[in-house]
Amino acid sequence: MRAMRLHAIGQPLAADDISVPQARNGQLLVRISACAVCRTDLHVVAGELAEPKLPLVPGHEIVGRVEQVGERVENFRVGDRVGIPWLGWTCGECEFCKSGRENLCERARFTGYTIDGGYAEFTVADARFAFQMPDTFDDVSAAPLLCVGLIGYRSLRKAGDPKRLGIYGFGAAAHIVAQIARFEGREIFAFTRPGDDEAQSFARRLGASWAGGSDEEAPEQLDAAIIFAPIGALVPAALQNLKRGGTIVCGGIHMSDIPSFPYRDLWQERTIASVANLTRRDGEEFLELVARVPIKTETQMFPLERANEALEALRCGRLRGAAVLVP
Ligand SMILES: [Zn+2]
Ligand SMILES: [Zn+2]
């Protein structure tokens, strides 16, 4: 099968011809029809996340059809439509797994990072961590739901119950979370790179009542803000716009250092939180919700072979919505 693989940190992915993996006990073999490209893939390729499997097939927003089921698989049959997310395996035994926080499992394995992912024609996945995908979406539109959508959802839940929500970095994750937030009756304030008129009008089209540069002051104080851009300096910037008691949620897996700021900007019970990974429960809740909204995902398709180009477009901020690789 064709697979785009990372052989060394910082190198472009190589187009390899490798054998189709086999589904072992509890696993599914999936024929991939779409795999979205996530910012985390950039961090993996650049070595900003420690010790990826090498060589590695990146990609953790996978939609496809079950081609083969291993022994002891009960929740899927051959031909089923399946979604494979970032969380690929957890131990089930640690304090985090046992308290509904498997996203924090210290032994967790991750699709497209510590196990092979979806920049390929086939992949295998642990059936317990795969999702049935709602019929409301075609394969390409569904793919970005599986990470940027899910992480956005977890970030939104972590933000509490904000009436006025700021979103910093208006890309793939933001375009999904904004639709959910609007559906829930929240008011959106979108912060983009200063001067990025195109991103600001994209945000307004998705229902933001205000859009401006990340260096601007919000017209009203915010109850919460989610930061998707991997820029630590946005944390003190967002604090300037945050009401007392408000929460800032950092939605990324990697961020540049946060510059120091006066304690009084945090005081009055403002909170800064991060979001890590997802739980299967998040996935089930989220997929049920997106079918009801229903979410529209904006996507830009790339043939599998052009994965490097898709990553570069994401890195430069040239995408509106999500890049999706199609084998
Ligand atoms: Zn665990
Ligand atoms: Zn991701």
Side-chain angles (χ1 to χ4, degrees):
M1 69 169 184
R2 290 173 298 141
M4 295 299 290
R5 292 202 297 176
L6 178 71
H7 288 266
I9 293 303
Q11 295 294 308
L13 306 180
D16 292 338
D17 191 4
I18 57 175
S19 51
V20 175
Q22 296 296 307
R24 297 204 208 117
N25 275 349
Q27 286 184 325
L28 308 172
L29 171 67
V30 174
R31 179 187 289 273
I32 297 169
S33 45
C35 180
V37 176
C38 173
R39 184 165 290 282
T40 299
D41 302 344
L42 287 178
H43 298 312
V44 169
V45 169
E48 285 154 344
L49 302 189
E51 294 177 12
K53 168 190 180 291
L54 286 177
L56 171 73
V57 181
H60 55 267
E61 305 180 80
I62 306 167
V63 178
R65 299 283 181 294
V66 175
E67 183 89 359
Q68 183 197 346
V69 293
E71 280 174 48
R72 300 203 315 265
V73 170
E74 281 163 12
N75 52 344
F76 284 96
R77 290 195 200 151
V78 171
D80 280 356
R81 189 160 180 251
V82 58
I84 304 170
W86 169 248
L87 189 72
W89 184 88
T90 55
C91 77
E93 296 167 349
C94 70
E95 62 171 299
F96 301 107
C97 283
K98 282 184 163 166
S99 57
R101 296 178 292 165
E102 63 180 355
N103 60 310
L104 301 178
C105 175
E106 287 179 24
R107 290 164 61 203
R109 294 182 202 149
F110 301 106
T111 312
Y113 173 33
T114 54
I115 47 184
D116 278 334
Y119 289 17
E121 288 180 280
F122 293 91
T123 193
V124 287
D126 187 317
R128 297 169 303 167
F129 292 84
F131 298 118
Q132 304 275 358
M133 297 301 288
D135 297 331
T136 344
F137 302 92
D138 63 61
D139 294 347
V140 169
S141 314
L145 299 173
L146 284 160
C147 179
V148 291
L150 258 167
I151 291 294
Y153 173 75
R154 193 171 171 89
S155 304
L156 182 59
R157 286 295 162 263
K158 202 115 193 156
D161 186 18
K163 205 161 152 257
R164 297 195 177 93
L165 173 70
I167 299 179
Y168 286 76
F170 217 89
H175 99 280
I176 296 174
V177 83
Q179 295 174 64
I180 297 177
R182 289 293 302 135
F183 177 75
E184 293 176 340
R186 309 181 197 285
E187 198 181 349
I188 310 269
F189 298 78
F191 297 83
T192 70
R193 286 175 216 230
D196 191 343
D197 298 337
E198 206 187 319
Q200 288 166 20
S201 58
F202 179 59
R204 280 190 211 97
R205 273 208 313 281
L206 286 169
S209 55
W210 177 89
S214 57
D215 54 347
E216 290 180 48
E217 199 180 313
E220 290 170 273
Q221 289 258 290
L222 306 172
D223 302 300
I226 302 175
I227 302 179
F228 289 120
I231 303 164
L234 293 175
V235 173
L239 276 172
Q240 295 297 323
N241 287 318
L242 195 69
K243 211 183 275 180
R244 49 178 67 191
T247 302
I248 290 176
V249 179
C250 302
I253 194 166
H254 176 85
M255 194 181 230
S256 57
D257 288 354
I258 300 173
S260 74
F261 53 86
Y263 174 65
R264 71 179 131 75
D265 291 353
L266 181 65
W267 190 58
Q268 299 289 9
E269 303 201 344
R270 293 177 179 90
T271 305
I272 300 171
S274 70
V275 156
N277 313 318
L278 67 136
T279 65
R280 283 171 279 180
R281 192 163 159 215
D282 292 333
E284 282 150 21
E285 285 175 8
F286 170 70
L287 290 171
E288 190 272 320
L289 177 63
V290 291
R292 259 190 308 131
V293 173
I295 297 285
K296 282 197 176 57
T297 55
E298 288 208 22
T299 53
Q300 201 172 319
M301 275 194 271
F302 291 78
L304 176 61
E305 290 71 17
R306 284 169 55 198
N308 288 308
E309 215 177 293
L311 286 166
E312 186 57 21
L314 174 59
R315 201 179 60 78
C316 301
R318 282 202 306 264
L319 297 165
R320 290 289 157 256
V324 178
L325 301 179
V326 179

